[in-house]
Each structure stands twice: as structure tokens, then as C-alpha cells.
Amino acid sequence: INAEYGTSKLSRILSCARAGAMSMALSSRSLPFLYAIVCLMLLGTALFAARTLSTRLAHPQHIDAVIVCGGGVKADGQVPEWVKQRLDTAMRIPASVRSVILTTSFGTPHRPSPTNRNGYTIIESRAAANYLIHNGVNSSHIVCEDVSLDTIGNAFFARVMHTDVREWKRLHIITSSFHMPRARFIFEKVFSLRPLDRPYRLTFETADDVGLQKDQLVARREREAQSLHALENGPFNRLETMEELHKFVNHDHAAYRALRTFDVDDSRGVDEKVKASY
């Protein structure tokens, strides 16, 4: 949409309307002069609003942080295709609009984290950051959240580690289409919890579902729907403050609470087709 052209065209229409109103006021004794004055005032107000809107459209809203949800890392340390799509989507946002890209996740409870040739754990958010850097993003424009193990953790740790501290309030969240309904529900919940000195402004964008077989994608979507239903009808949806969320994450959430043991397979009960999408 060419905002300036649209405003120019609107200006001409309003000018004609204003002229018509003046003509009517002068030629028709039945139309009170005061009514014509009111019409002119309203037309002037509409023109001013249109010009203001044009200015806003011509200058895209600035994004403080683009948050890319975690989606796994392969054994060779590379991110899978669906995560590449999320990162590519983030990179398509002009650098003049976004301040930073925030990559998320340590790993997932559903499979052991891969290690590099020196035996160190390959952290998911770092693998994502490496992909961005390899594709031309300046490292000073990337920050990592490398603690979380799931989407709730993505949102919680992104807020407490980065956005609250830096006062980044305009956030753009990117994830795959199959993941978006649950991710959106979680992020909107976490970033609405008190205390808030001023509200967060969240926008969302989906990346294409690529890199998964059809049966894997169907299985993952089914699991996502079940998980979203559980969140909507469980204790997470009753949280009202960040203190309550902190307690929920550290005492009730199986991936983070202190009694979690790493000698138990956390992926038990997870369909192999679903596990392939983590």
C-alpha cells in the first residue's frame, strides 16, 4: 500500500467534499450555517488523522527483540530444517527494524543433547546463533537464552534473563506453524503476568513446516493440540504473577524441578514420530 498516495487521494476527495459543503451552505437557505461549519471541522479532523496514519505506515514499527523458539539440534550440531526456517524468517526482517535476534533453548527432555568432538554439550540456542552468524548476522545483534528445555521455559527465561532486564517491550515471536498455537498461548500468558511497569507488545509470525515427514507432522500436531488443551485447563492458565510462575517452573514443572533425575528416560511414552520433531 502506498500510504502517501492514498493520503493524497483522500485529501482531494475531502477537499471536494469541503467545497460541496460550503456550496450547500451558501446556496440552500434550509441548511443552517452552523451545520456547514461543523462539517468542515469534521473533515479537517479526518484529514489530519489520515496524514498521521500515513506517517506511521511509512515508518515500520521498531522491534526490540525477535524471539525464535527452540526446535531441536541434530547430532552433528546443525539445526534441523524447520528451525532453519524459523531463523531464515527472522533474518528476513530488516536489520533497521529489529534490534536483536534472541535464540532460545538448552535442549529438550525428549532426547539427550548431542556433544561435540571434545565431549562438550551442543547447546541448541548456540547452534541457532551459529547458523545466524554463518548467514551474515552480526554476533552483536544476537543474544542467547540457553537454559530452557521447553516452550514455557523459552518464554519464562527469555523474560527474566533478557527482556525485563533490558526493557525490551516490543517482541516478535517466530516459530513453526505446527507449534504456533501453543507457543502463542504460552508467550501471551507469560508476558502478561505482573509486575509490569508497562505492557509488552507481542506480535507473532509462523515459519513453514519443512523437514518432517507427513506422518511425523500429523503426530506432532496432534500432540501440540493435546498439550495446548492441558495448558488451557491446568494450573498454568491460573497464574497471575511472575512469582507464581517461578514457583510453578521450579516446583511443579517436571523438566525443571529439583527432584528431576537424569538417569530416567524423559522421552518414555512419546511417540517416535513425535520425537523426530524435537
Side-chain angles (χ1 to χ4, degrees), residues 65-69 102 104 154 158 163 171-175 187 191:
V66 177
I67 301 178
V68 181
C69 291
L102 197 167
T104 60
N154 288 174
T163 64
L171 310 177
H172 189 67
I173 295 90
I174 296 174
T175 193
F187 272 84
F191 285 89

Side-chain angles (χ1 to χ4, degrees), residues 211-248:
L212 292 171
Q213 300 297 323
K214 185 176 180 180
D215 59 341
Q216 294 171 339
L217 189 56
V218 169
R220 179 61 189 264
R221 285 173 175 165
E222 290 177 352
R223 181 177 174 85
E224 286 292 322
Q226 294 168 2
S227 298
L228 176 57
H229 182 267
L231 286 171
E232 291 173 333
N233 295 278
F236 176 80
N237 202 22
R238 295 190 288 273
L239 302 174
E240 296 182 354
T241 67
M242 287 298 290
E243 180 181 0
E244 291 175 352
L245 177 58
H246 183 272
K247 292 177 181 178
F248 173 83

Side-chain angles (χ1 to χ4, degrees), residues 194-212:
R194 302 188 307 271
L196 285 172
D197 57 340
R198 54 193 175 93
Y200 278 98
R201 297 168 63 181
L202 307 184
T203 53
F204 298 84
E205 185 173 0
T206 56
D208 293 338
D209 294 336
V210 298
L212 292 171

Side-chain angles (χ1 to χ4, degrees), residues 61-136:
Q61 184 182 30
H62 182 73
I63 298 170
D64 293 325
V66 177
I67 301 178
V68 181
C69 291
V73 60
K74 298 190 295 184
D76 62 359
Q78 303 298 310
V79 294
E81 290 301 316
W82 56 91
V83 175
K84 288 181 181 179
Q85 285 292 314
R86 301 177 191 184
L87 297 167
D88 290 344
T89 301
M91 286 189 287
R92 283 195 289 270
I93 299 172
S96 59
V97 174
R98 54 174 165 80
S99 289
V100 299
I101 298 177
L102 197 167
T103 60
T104 60
S105 291
F106 173 87
T108 174
H110 301 304
R111 62 169 67 247
S113 296
T115 56
N116 63 21
R117 60 186 179 184
N118 296 316
Y120 291 100
T121 299
I122 298 174
I123 297 172
E124 191 175 317
S125 63
R126 304 288 170 169
N130 288 339
Y131 178 84
L132 293 172
I133 294 168
H134 180 75
N135 284 277

Side-chain angles (χ1 to χ4, degrees), residues 7-27:
T7 303
S8 176
K9 189 173 182 180
L10 179 61
S11 299
R12 291 196 297 271
I13 294 172
L14 292 175
S15 295
C16 292
R18 182 166 50 191
M22 291 180 66
S23 176
M24 290 174 64
L26 293 174
S27 61

Side-chain angles (χ1 to χ4, degrees), residues 126-144:
R126 304 288 170 169
N130 288 339
Y131 178 84
L132 293 172
I133 294 168
H134 180 75
N135 284 277
V137 179
N138 192 306
S139 61
S140 64
H141 296 160
I142 304 170
V143 293
C144 299

